[in-house]
Amino acid sequence: MTPFRKHSISFKFTLMLLGITLIILFVTSILSYYNQLRLYKKQRKESIQFVASYLEGILVSDDIYFVWYQDYFLKNHDTLLVPHDFDDAAIQDARHDYEETLSKEFPGKVLGTDITFEELSDKTKDAYEIYSHEYYLSAFEKAREMFNLAYVYYWVPTNDETEELTFVLDSERGERILNGKKYIELGIKESYSKKEFNRLWEAWETGRRPSGYDIYKTKKGKTYAYYTPVFINGQKMGVIDVEVEVSTITRSIIIATFQQILTISVVLFVFMTLLLIDIRRNYIRKLIKLRNVIGEYSLEKDPKVAEQLTEDVSNEDEISSIQVKFVEMIYELENYIQSLTKTKLDLQTSRQKAIELNELALKDSLTGIRNKTSYDKEVQKLNWEISEGIKDIGVAMTDLNFLKKINETFGHDKGNIAIIELCKIVCKIFSHSPVFRIGGDEFVIILKGEDLQHIDELIKAFYQKLKERQENPELEYWEKTSAAIGYAVYTPDIDCTFENTFKRADAEMYKSKKAMKATRD
């Protein structure tokens, strides 16, 4: 082989390929690094938004119980003693201590139903507060650990004028030593400037999640803070603060970029070496043929056109190697496309199965209508609608009479038939409303629109349908459906939440049941 001369085509071609290779490696490394860094930052931002929504759901779902916890905390955190070190077992012990204390003070009473928080003794209130604080703080700490977050707080402004905050839930667990024992330092207060932390104060003053983040520069990079205000029954309680550190340079991204560039480097330099082995031997003719095959493949997308290149492979020169590699690439690309197609179909099938499983999880297995889980989700949605000012909502409650007698006399299979028949009647009468089975023979109807406007007519139609079945001599005893129904309409003056409306509907149903029993007697 003729050695490279300074002005030879082989030499110039080598320099050109080397220059192109270096440029490609440099540009690829920069783009790869910043693209991975961008995706990393995006994922971290999305994770703190998810955690904030998740923690908000925990606090809001406890409703008035969290309100009691926060009010008592803000008034008594200086004297409250919460153990510094606790785990899930300790939380259960704290719950047991609270429940035992409550049962001794008010035997057979239920907090929030039979008694109010204000009626509790200081001892019972402290026990409730210790259990609640451990429970909520554990949820905050687990979220912080699971998503590798920097900080997770829940705070309440102490004084807007001094720009001071009181930290109610602090995942860092500050220490307080008292009589040789470690307790959590509660009610830590710090000042946050509205000028420096404008998103923080925006979340509190507007009651809405800010569109952006408070960003702090650190030695490692930046910290992003995301805020979610918490409302319970229309009352603004406080703000959840979730923060994450996004490093400017991360070890994993650098390693991944280096590996990717190393792989590309090996491929490019091998390709260049093979190309330069015999660059002057028939390369023009073969390159033209290669160009033609590539054009034909790009038009027809038929991998068989690559077979034309194998006909011209007589030795192992660099152009022949390129031809072989191109043939392999076409077939590998074809296999890859087929694999992608199969993967896409498999993914679609998996998603469909996931959707079906989710639908099954929200359906009652006996009747096919929505179940208790679906009802609980609907209640959350209704409470949100109520908080947004939607008032035209009602609820009806019904259950079977004599189900126990049917089960004991004729068997549970006949009892199931009775439940199914009642379900059919309810769904037919209240055809414009969602129906839920929340218990053995208990059904709830969410009344809206046309059904809510004509509720009294529908109640009459319901009882008329039951009367027709009871008077039908062709039906068996368990098919002669007997049930009581009651309803209530949401009234802002007496209902603070949808659950209150439900309780009134439930009471009306039992009033109807008693009236029916009195009539039979």
Side-chain angles (χ1 to χ4, degrees), residues 359 361-382 393-399 419 422-424 426-427 430 432-448 498 502 509:
E359 291 177 351
L362 298 177
K363 284 187 177 181
D364 176 54
S365 59
L366 177 63
T367 61
I369 64 173
R370 285 177 268 191
N371 59 14
K372 180 65 165 58
T373 301
S374 180
Y375 171 73
D376 291 339
K377 291 185 177 182
E378 185 69 17
V379 169
Q380 292 182 359
K381 177 183 175 183
L382 292 172
I393 300 173
V395 59
M397 178 74 182
T398 181
D399 74 349
I419 292 173
L422 175 59
C423 178
K424 291 179 180 178
V426 171
C427 292
F430 299 93
H432 298 93
S433 300
V435 181
F436 306 82
R437 183 189 179 200
I438 64 170
D441 58 343
E442 295 179 329
F443 294 88
V444 173
I445 307 102
I446 304 300
L447 301 170
K448 291 184 179 181
F498 177 81
F502 171 83
M509 182 199 70

Side-chain angles (χ1 to χ4, degrees), residues 110 114 126-127 130 170 185 194 205 227 234 242 359 378 400 421 434 459 461 505 516:
V110 177
D114 306 310
D126 285 348
I130 291 172
D170 184 349
E185 185 178 2
K194 292 185 178 181
E205 293 171 353
Y227 309 102
V242 181
E359 291 177 351
E378 185 69 17
L400 276 170
E421 292 301 325
I459 294 294
M516 295 172 70

